[in-house]
Amino acid sequence: MKILFLTLALLATTAQAADIKESLSSPDGKLEASFTLTEGVPQYSLKHCSKDVILPSLLGFELRGNLKAENLIYEGDKVRKEDWNSCYSFAENFEFLGCERSSFDETWEPVWGEEDHIRNNYNELLVHLKQKDTYRLLDIRFRLFDDGLGFRYEFPANQWLGYFVIKEELSEFALAQDCTAWWIPGDYDTQEYEFTCCKVSEIKEHFRDNMRGNSSQTPFSTSGVQTALQLKTPDGLYINIHEAALVNYPCMHLLADCEKHSFRAWLTPDAQGWKGYMQTPCNTPWRTVQVAESAEKQLASRMILNLNEPCAYEDVSWIHPVKYMGVWWEMIAGAGSWNYTDAAPIRLGEFDYSKATPNGRHSANNERVRYYIDFAAEHGFDALLIEGWNEGWEDWANCNKDYVFDFVTPYPDFDIKALNDYAHSKGIKLMMHHETSSSVRNYERHMQAAYQLMSDYGYDSVKSGYVGDILPHGEYHYSQWLVNHYLYAVTEAAKYHIMVNAHEAVRPTGLCRTYPNLIGNESAMGTEYQAFGGIKPGHTAILPFTRLNGGPMDYTPGIFENNLKDWCGNNSWVNTTLCNQLGLYLVMYSPLQMAADTPEHYLEHMDAFQFIKDVAIDWSESRYLFAEPQDYVIVARKAKESGQWFLGGVTDEKAREFKIPLDFLGKGKYIATVYADAPDAHYKNNPKAYTIKKVKVTAKSKLPIRMAEGGGFAVSFELCK
Ligand code: NOJ
Ligand code: CA
């Protein structure tokens, strides 16, 4: 043994002098990534058309000292025991053991998506490294696509590194230029923020002290940002930094070095402050740098999905897109309540439901649910979500109650069997709601029974939620343990053929390719904030670049009534025009699409509601026609089943005009039904002013469209026979 170590040590000394550089080109030759090893320090860089995009940036880790006997460090013939409480750098003193190159080109078919075929084409470089004094191995795999770079760390199994703990990942993203950045502040617990736009060099100045997380004692609290981070160089190149395939690892945030316009990884810690618990062989998620010559190309990039593993399920016949309504907005807006016991004078301790006298505010009651079922079924929806159906709402969110919900006991005025029978008799399904109140162990305790109950009553989709601080205390929503929990919930659900839409879970990283029953996530500021003070216009023109880069969002569009005050005394105003809400069905891609307002509000605008009924939710083709982050997005999509084209767009607080070439249409004449803001529409004072016109068009036509301030539009096309 000893002789072998000496030989390795000698080899290491010989290799040290040489600097290594290995480069890789994208299939179209426009991108070039390089790996370098300079005096033992690994780095990477990225160029687009020979121009620097990412300057040499550090790769590596800070690891916690190891306890295990197999991880002892040998210095010559002496054994040095590592101190479990100290850390060491796994970012230096490496030697190059060699590298491997390969290319890949395939086209795969997603179960649902923005298109029915996705090309996955890249060149790959796999670098093998060994840390000279610890003999520990590190592989770094680079994949270079036409639309960007992905790299990940791989830790081969070897006797020197078995179990280990990550103190921090040191990956850097040193931008070559000071870019414009669209960002939300770093937070270990929520992504529900509006976006700030400023130069990277100015992030610190603009850093609003509005973090709701618990990381105030760290540099993260003044310059941490979340991914996906959208950037634009002064010469108009679009760069996006995110991660792909986040599995068994903490969520990556970025710490900005404003002076150097550079970022470095900052992983979400666990309750003890450590970040990742690993066992070789293992790997990190992919770190991604997408590069696009236009905003529209950035939106069309499928690199994040491509970096995820193929579908893990053999049978996917039970997974399908869902258009749904919900007994929901009336609670969010404050017109109703989740809580059956709202009327009860005493709500402390265990509640005796037999003594409760609901005051009529409990929305999920048999009569109200039947009314929604009737409306949703009559208008062709697939499902109806019902929140507040089960015991536990009296003690939820931040009451620190461990055993809060059991997910199987309905409130006395919710007849689960009768309502499911009624819904099924009308051809729709009920959608389950599992608000966990972030008592995560409690959810895992009850999960099998909860899914079994769904299966027994014929529910095939669940919306889950993680509101409030995580229980057990001290854990964060985005730590490794929680990341594992969210995926566990999805893979367990698959065993019962259940589709999952998780709100407040970690933001998606393309895992829906591998686990397509993950049909939605919220994990960003969604429509609910229109009832919590309002959302600034422009939010839905930045989400497609950022939050949606990793997967679809359950944004819950379709709010037709802006005036919440007159409706239910809520002072919030919905900051969009009605046509903006229609445009969202195209702009906010999701195979799970809600019509979020109440039947009463839709009944007042049945002509506009027709678009929500008509619009498809699964596509064979998508074309981003005009886009600029946080300003506007216009996209045309072709329905997978019918082949029908739809078009839609949204703008920020500025009114905008476009002449939209309809060259995506096939041969023939079409009737376009155009839902547009009226000339005097405005999100603030005249949001419900719209026109619906039918015009004859062909692929040669250019459709003039004006979107009002905070407005949008939607079009459906029908081929003339
Ligand atoms: C927050 C979710 O985003 C919202 O949709 C849900 O109604 C509430 N939590 C209650 O679970
Ligand atoms: Ca939420």
Side-chain angles (χ1 to χ4, degrees):
M1 280 289 261
K2 215 185 289 168
I3 295 167
L4 176 71
F5 303 140
L6 283 175
T7 325
L8 284 172
L10 272 176
L11 274 175
T13 332
T14 354
Q16 192 171 18
D19 280 2
I20 300 291
K21 180 170 182 179
E22 295 289 340
S23 294
L24 184 66
S25 290
S26 59
D28 69 0
K30 284 191 181 176
L31 290 176
E32 187 187 303
S34 296
F35 166 81
T36 55
L37 191 66
T38 311
E39 294 183 357
V41 175
Q43 290 182 307
Y44 77 100
S45 59
L46 183 64
K47 286 181 201 285
H48 173 264
C49 295
S50 307
K51 226 179 150 184
D52 289 327
V53 175
I54 301 284
L55 298 174
S57 294
L58 205 63
L59 295 160
F61 296 86
E62 196 178 357
L63 299 184
R64 187 177 192 180
N66 270 292
L67 273 181
K68 289 271 178 187
E70 70 264 33
N71 292 325
L72 300 181
I73 301 293
Y74 289 77
E75 280 166 352
D77 56 355
K78 284 204 190 83
V79 175
R80 169 163 65 85
K81 217 174 173 189
E82 281 185 2
D83 177 1
W84 180 235
N85 291 312
S86 72
C87 295
Y88 69 95
S89 166
F90 200 48
E92 60 190 14
N93 207 16
F94 282 104
E95 68 169 302
F96 182 71
L97 299 181
C99 66
E100 294 163 51
R101 289 169 182 279
S102 60
S103 293
F104 190 79
D105 191 2
E106 69 159 21
T107 298
W108 57 281
E109 294 176 22
V111 176
W112 42 259
E114 295 189 66
E115 44 269 307
D116 54 8
H117 285 83
I118 295 177
R119 185 169 178 200
N120 184 9
N121 182 204
Y122 58 80
N123 292 328
E124 182 175 284
L125 170 72
L126 175 61
V127 174
H128 301 292
L129 302 174
K130 187 177 79 184
Q131 194 172 39
K132 283 181 272 181
D133 53 345
T134 66
Y135 314 126
R136 290 175 184 161
L137 302 176
L138 176 65
D139 289 351
I140 308 175
R141 194 181 292 272
F142 296 89
R143 285 188 183 164
L144 195 55
F145 303 76
D146 290 345
D147 48 347
L149 171 70
F151 66 88
R152 74 177 185 192
Y153 302 93
E154 300 181 358
F155 304 90
N158 87 331
Q159 67 192 109
W160 312 111
L161 194 62
Y163 298 95
F164 65 103
V165 178
I166 295 175
K167 165 105 191 302
E168 192 55 275
E169 180 183 320
L170 304 177
S171 304
E172 268 182 345
F173 304 86
L175 298 169
Q177 288 171 282
D178 190 10
C179 295
T180 305
W182 288 267
W183 55 277
I184 56 173
D187 193 314
Y188 303 149
D189 283 300
T190 183
Q191 291 235 316
E192 295 182 0
Y193 288 105
E194 288 190 311
F195 285 77
T196 300
C197 172
C198 69
K199 290 276 183 195
V200 171
S201 57
E202 295 164 351
I203 287 180
K204 228 171 181 164
E205 280 164 47
H206 283 81
F207 208 90
R208 292 164 298 161
D209 192 21
N210 60 356
M211 261 188 36
R212 290 170 232 145
N214 300 314
S215 40
S216 55
Q217 297 311 310
T218 68
F220 185 63
S221 65
T222 51
S223 52
V225 299
Q226 304 200 44
T227 77
L229 175 68
Q230 183 61 48
L231 301 152
K232 186 179 178 182
T233 68
D235 357 291
L237 205 60
Y238 294 79
I239 303 172
N240 189 294
I241 304 178
H242 192 32
E243 64 180 314
L246 171 59
V247 177
N248 196 16
Y249 200 78
C251 164
M252 178 179 75
H253 300 285
L254 299 171
L255 190 64
D257 181 331
C258 297
E259 287 75 43
K260 293 188 184 147
H261 35 82
S262 167
F263 295 93
R264 81 162 175 80
W266 183 283
L267 304 178
T268 308
D270 74 348
Q272 296 182 47
W274 299 104
K275 303 213 162 168
Y277 296 83
M278 315 290 281
Q279 180 186 3
T280 60
C282 56
N283 53 263
T284 67
W286 295 94
R287 279 61 193 93
T288 59
V289 183
Q290 282 155 288
V291 181
E293 287 164 2
S294 71
E296 295 81 12
K297 282 189 180 163
Q298 168 57 40
L299 293 175
S301 168
R302 299 290 166 254
M303 195 181 103
I304 301 290
L305 287 178
N306 279 330
L307 283 168
N308 276 269
E309 296 300 315
C311 183
Y313 309 137
E314 246 169 56
D315 173 21
V316 291
S317 59
W318 50 278
I319 300 172
H320 56 88
V322 183
K323 201 189 273 187
Y324 74 106
M325 290 189 69
V327 183
W328 176 73
W329 182 239
E330 59 185 67
M331 284 103 96
I332 291 285
S337 171
W338 288 270
N339 186 356
Y340 174 79
T341 67
D342 242 5
I346 300 166
R347 305 214 315 270
L348 296 175
E350 297 305 316
F351 193 82
D352 180 355
Y353 293 93
S354 65
K355 295 202 180 103
T357 325
N359 63 356
R361 275 175 50 78
H362 181 230
S363 293
N365 64 70
N366 292 321
E367 197 188 335
R368 186 80 181 136
V369 172
R370 276 173 191 265
Y371 172 68
Y372 269 88
I373 291 174
D374 289 344
F375 185 86
E378 184 186 339
H379 297 290
F381 286 83
D382 304 307
L384 177 72
L385 163 75
I386 299 135
E387 300 200 1
W389 68 277
N390 58 327
E391 289 183 8
W393 288 91
E394 27 325 304
D395 308 317
W396 79 300
N398 291 332
C399 289
N400 296 309
K401 188 165 173 178
D402 186 349
Y403 287 77
V404 51
F405 293 99
D406 70 6
F407 310 95
V408 294
T409 311
Y411 278 137
D413 58 350
F414 184 87
D415 187 335
I416 187 166
K417 176 162 186 339
L419 289 171
N420 272 288
D421 287 349
Y422 187 64
H424 296 162
S425 77
K426 297 213 150 199
I428 73 166
K429 290 205 158 91
L430 298 190
M431 187 186 288
M432 178 48 82
H433 185 228
H434 290 164
E435 173 55 61
T436 67
S437 195
S438 288
S439 185
V440 174
R441 270 291 297 119
N442 184 56
Y443 189 32
E444 290 189 354
R445 240 175 237 144
H446 294 287
M447 193 178 278
Q448 310 301 332
Y451 288 158
Q452 188 57 53
L453 179 97
M454 288 180 61
S455 194
D456 294 345
Y457 287 111
Y459 290 83
D460 70 352
S461 58
V462 60
K463 168 179 171 179
S464 58
Y466 297 85
V467 173
D469 290 345
I470 299 287
L471 281 177
H473 283 298
E475 283 296 337
Y476 299 112
H477 278 74
Y478 306 149
S479 67
Q480 183 183 20
W481 185 67
L482 268 295
V483 163
N484 288 346
H485 164 80
Y486 305 128
L487 187 54
Y488 174 72
V490 170
T491 52
E492 285 302 294
K495 295 178 185 163
Y496 296 80
H497 287 187
I498 289 169
M499 300 176 283
V500 176
N501 163 28
H503 280 222
E504 294 91 30
V506 70
R507 80 280 186 277
T509 55
L511 283 173
C512 58
R513 175 181 179 189
T514 316
Y515 309 101
N517 66 319
L518 178 57
I519 46 167
N521 279 115
E522 183 191 45
S523 311
M525 181 181 278
T527 295
E528 60 184 356
Y529 280 79
Q530 297 285 18
F532 304 162
I535 305 174
K536 283 194 211 109
H539 186 59
T540 50
I542 182 62
L543 285 174
F545 290 91
T546 51
R547 164 60 186 76
L548 273 77
N549 193 10
M553 176 167 177
D554 184 33
Y555 187 74
T556 68
I559 304 301
F560 278 14
E561 181 52 70
N562 304 69
N563 189 338
L564 306 186
K565 188 165 190 169
D566 286 356
W567 172 33
C568 60
N570 177 333
N571 282 326
S572 214
W573 179 265
V574 178
N575 287 324
T576 68
T577 67
L578 190 146
C579 283
N580 173 289
Q581 292 288 330
L582 297 183
L584 294 176
Y585 288 88
L586 277 302
V587 169
M588 300 296 291
Y589 165 69
S590 179
L592 176 79
Q593 210 52 287
M594 187 180 197
D597 215 332
T598 63
E600 287 90 343
H601 292 151
Y602 288 134
L603 284 168
E604 289 172 22
H605 303 280
M606 288 308 280
D607 54 353
F609 185 62
Q610 187 62 42
F611 181 78
I612 300 180
K613 289 172 64 173
D614 292 343
V615 69
I617 50 173
D618 197 19
W619 311 99
S620 59
E621 210 181 320
S622 292
R623 298 215 197 156
Y624 288 92
L625 303 175
F626 299 96
E628 192 56 29
Q630 223 172 12
D631 290 347
Y632 53 88
V633 175
I634 295 177
V635 59
R637 302 190 194 269
K638 189 178 184 184
K640 203 191 241 174
E641 266 183 29
S642 65
Q644 194 183 352
W645 280 95
F646 294 86
L647 170 69
V650 298
T651 178
D652 59 0
E653 70 290 345
K654 284 198 192 119
R656 295 177 198 274
E657 287 180 30
F658 290 88
K659 278 211 159 97
I660 303 171
L662 303 181
D663 50 7
F664 51 82
L665 292 172
K667 281 188 191 147
K669 288 189 181 134
Y670 291 79
I671 302 283
T673 308
V674 184
Y675 302 75
D677 292 322
D680 58 347
H682 192 291
Y683 75 98
K684 271 281 170 227
N685 49 37
N686 199 15
K688 289 190 267 182
Y690 58 88
T691 61
I692 303 176
K693 285 188 188 140
K694 290 198 187 285
V695 285
K696 277 201 175 144
V697 295
T698 68
K700 289 196 180 126
S701 310
K702 287 197 168 182
L703 188 69
I705 284 291
R706 179 182 179 275
M707 299 189 272
E709 292 85 348
F713 74 99
V715 186
S716 56
F717 296 90
E718 249 172 288
L719 189 60
C720 301
K721 287 189 184 126

